[in-house]
């Protein structure tokens, strides 16, 4: 077994062909609460938020992320990104965001390709308006921090958020996977089935959680 010192960045960078390597830093142990993380470390919250935004657009959650939820997340991301780039909330529209940044930064490719652009804009506009209903009692406009926390709260409801999957031996020709998740504890996923989403007419495999053991879920967070 190699010592940890052998994996220091300087040692890795000194190896032949290191210029072809790509380092990816990810938040592995997700927080129980995004709001609690914001109180402790805003930089960590920002990193986790960007990680989740990339996971959504790159469709890492595709098997379980329904189109409606994906568009809800896209609207929150659009709101946060627009505020970060000094766009006034009163001027925040789908047309403005699309012109300034494009939609592929916020919406998964499967939805962009599978939905009519007019329908996609209409739904995004609807969810952008809903953002105004998520403000606290002291603010009239959803702040960047509030948008990030709402985004992460929605993501945290997905079974694979912060989870690890382990393949098992097939029985009766059915592929089974063990899911260790902060939200669902220890679960078993048996096969997949296709469901048709009428709004986008896209096939999304739905995970069938057939066993939820709830084994020490807090210890996994």
């Amino acid at each position: 077994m190699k010592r940890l010192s052998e994996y220091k960045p300087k040692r890795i960078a000194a190896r032949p062909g290191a210029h072809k390597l790509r380092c990816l830093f990810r938040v592995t142990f997700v927080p129980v609460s995004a709001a609690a993380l914001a109180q402790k470390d805003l930089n960590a919250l920002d990193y986790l938020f960007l990680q989740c935004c990339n996971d959504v657009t790159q469709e890492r959650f595709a098997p379980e992320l329904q189109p409606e939820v994906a568009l809800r997340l896209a609207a929150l991301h659009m709101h946060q990104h627009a505020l970060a780039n000094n766009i006034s909330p009163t001027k925040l529209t789908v047309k403005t965001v699309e012109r300034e940044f494009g939609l592929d930064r916020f919406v998964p490719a499967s939805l962009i390709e599978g939905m009519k652009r007019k329908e996609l804009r209409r739904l995004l506009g609807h969810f952008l308006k809903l953002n105004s209903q998520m403000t606290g009692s002291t603010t009239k406009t959803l702040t960047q921090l509030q948008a990030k926390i709402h985004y992460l709260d929605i993501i945290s409801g997905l079974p694979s958020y912060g989870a690890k999957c382990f393949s098992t031996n097939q029985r009766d020709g059915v592929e089974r996977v063990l899911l260790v998740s902060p939200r669902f504890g220890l679960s078993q996923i048996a096969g997949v089935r296709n469901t048709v989403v009428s709004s986008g007419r896209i096939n999304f495999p739905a995970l069938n959680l057939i066993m939820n053991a709830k084994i020490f879920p807090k210890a996994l967070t």
Side-chain angles (χ1 to χ4, degrees), residues 18 33 60 67 78 81-82 86 106 135 160 175 180 184 211-212:
S33 165
R60 293 175 66 96
M78 291 165 65
H81 193 74
N86 300 317
F106 313 100
T135 60
S160 66
E175 182 180 0
V180 183
F184 292 95
M211 184 269 286
N212 188 352

Side-chain angles (χ1 to χ4, degrees), residues 25-31 47-48 51 161-164 182 220-221:
F25 296 94
R26 290 184 59 85
V27 178
T28 301
F29 300 99
V30 296
Y47 198 92
L48 178 61
Q51 174 178 300
Y161 174 72
K164 292 289 185 181
L220 300 172
T221 57

Side-chain angles (χ1 to χ4, degrees), residues 28-75:
T28 301
F29 300 99
V30 296
V32 176
S33 165
L37 178 62
Q39 294 179 346
K40 295 180 179 179
D41 191 337
L42 283 176
N43 289 329
L45 179 82
D46 289 343
Y47 198 92
L48 178 61
F49 172 72
L50 291 176
Q51 174 178 300
C52 289
C53 288
N54 290 332
D55 287 347
V56 168
T57 56
Q58 294 171 14
E59 305 196 81
R60 293 175 66 96
F61 297 115
E64 59 199 294
L65 185 61
Q66 296 300 312
E68 180 180 355
V69 179
L71 294 178
R72 183 74 189 91
L73 292 171

Side-chain angles (χ1 to χ4, degrees), residues 36-195:
L37 178 62
Q39 294 179 346
K40 295 180 179 179
D41 191 337
L42 283 176
N43 289 329
L45 179 82
D46 289 343
Y47 198 92
L48 178 61
F49 172 72
L50 291 176
Q51 174 178 300
C52 289
C53 288
N54 290 332
D55 287 347
V56 168
T57 56
Q58 294 171 14
E59 305 196 81
R60 293 175 66 96
F61 297 115
E64 59 199 294
L65 185 61
Q66 296 300 312
E68 180 180 355
V69 179
L71 294 178
R72 183 74 189 91
L73 292 171
L76 284 168
H77 189 190
M78 291 165 65
H79 183 96
Q80 179 275 328
H81 193 74
L83 294 184
N85 286 273
N86 300 317
I87 295 179
S88 171
T90 58
K91 298 181 179 180
L92 178 55
T93 63
V94 176
K95 184 177 180 180
T96 300
V97 173
E98 185 175 11
R99 182 181 66 248
E100 296 293 331
F101 314 111
L103 294 182
D104 56 341
R105 179 191 292 265
F106 313 100
V107 183
S110 60
L111 290 181
I112 292 179
E113 296 171 359
M115 295 182 67
K116 293 182 178 180
R117 187 54 63 101
K118 183 178 180 180
E119 178 68 5
L120 178 61
R121 293 190 185 107
R122 185 187 70 80
L123 291 173
L124 287 173
H126 168 71
F127 286 119
L128 277 176
K129 291 179 180 179
L130 290 183
N131 288 342
S132 61
Q133 302 177 11
M134 304 177 71
T135 60
S137 57
T138 58
T139 58
K140 296 181 180 180
T141 304
L142 195 69
T143 65
Q144 287 192 60
L145 179 58
Q146 288 174 327
K148 293 175 184 178
I149 291 175
H150 284 307
Y151 191 104
L152 292 174
D153 284 344
I154 295 174
I155 285 288
S156 67
L158 300 177
S160 66
Y161 174 72
K164 292 289 185 181
C165 292
F166 302 91
S167 298
T168 63
N169 295 330
Q170 292 189 13
R171 291 184 179 180
D172 302 326
V174 178
E175 182 180 0
R176 301 177 187 275
V177 175
L178 290 180
L179 178 75
V180 183
S181 163
R183 178 177 174 83
F184 292 95
L186 179 62
S187 303
Q188 183 179 210
I189 304 171
V192 296
R193 58 183 176 83
N194 288 332
T195 57

